[in-house]
Amino acid sequence: MESVGDQVTTLKEGDVVIPTYIGECETCENCVSGKTNLCLTNPVRLTGLLPDETSRMSIRGQRLYHVLSCATWSEYMVSDVNYVLKVDPTIDPTHASFISCGFSTGYGAAWKEAKVESGSSVAVLGLGAVGLGV
């Protein structure tokens, strides 16, 4: 993390973080339920804008839109603190990036939804980040 805003208290400059496109407040009914991570306070952003309805990116004076809440195909990104997750700094960032979205989607689907148990046989079609997570 290169810098943090003056109201951010949970992260500091130099922390290693990965973006998430679903924020979590950890206090709303959904976050504490253990059944879903579809936060009521920090919903999935489909507007291409940050929670304050702005974009922190532009090119030649034209506003650029974020992909969901991340805009992660950028050299730099600006994100609401609720849409990043601090990770162990000893993890290689190229490995940590797998747990941000795709891997956790596959892992969560197999573990939480399908309830695949140790020793089960499953068919996985595709070995991208989602398939590897399964």
Side-chain angles (χ1 to χ4, degrees):
M1 177 158 278
E2 184 170 293
S3 62
V4 297
D6 58 3
Q7 295 180 14
V8 175
T9 59
T10 56
L11 298 170
K12 64 183 183 320
E13 188 176 319
D15 283 346
V16 177
V17 298
I18 55 175
T20 62
Y21 77 94
I22 298 175
E24 291 189 33
C25 71
E26 299 180 1
T27 58
C28 75
E29 179 182 352
N30 283 0
C31 285
V32 299
S33 74
K35 296 178 181 177
T36 179
N37 65 339
L38 296 177
C39 182
L40 299 171
T41 306
N42 303 294
V44 176
R45 309 280 314 158
L46 300 176
T47 63
L49 300 172
L50 294 173
D52 65 358
E53 298 300 321
T54 64
S55 172
R56 304 295 192 264
M57 303 181 297
S58 66
I59 188 167
R60 293 185 211 101
Q62 293 286 330
R63 176 173 25 188
L64 296 176
Y65 291 87
H66 298 252
V67 176
L68 298 172
S69 61
C70 299
T72 55
W73 291 106
S74 305
E75 184 177 352
Y76 293 94
M77 63 178 256
V78 175
S79 182
D80 183 285
V81 69
N82 293 300
Y83 293 88
V84 294
L85 177 68
K86 184 177 175 179
V87 296
D88 184 325
T90 63
I91 296 174
D92 183 322
T94 58
H95 297 147
S97 67
F98 276 104
I99 63 174
S100 180
C101 177
F103 181 87
S104 58
T105 298
Y107 183 80
W111 177 49
K112 291 274 197 177
E113 296 302 316
K115 307 211 184 318
V116 174
E117 297 177 7
S118 180
S120 297
S121 294
V122 297
V124 178
L125 304 176
L127 289 178
V130 176
L132 291 172
V134 173

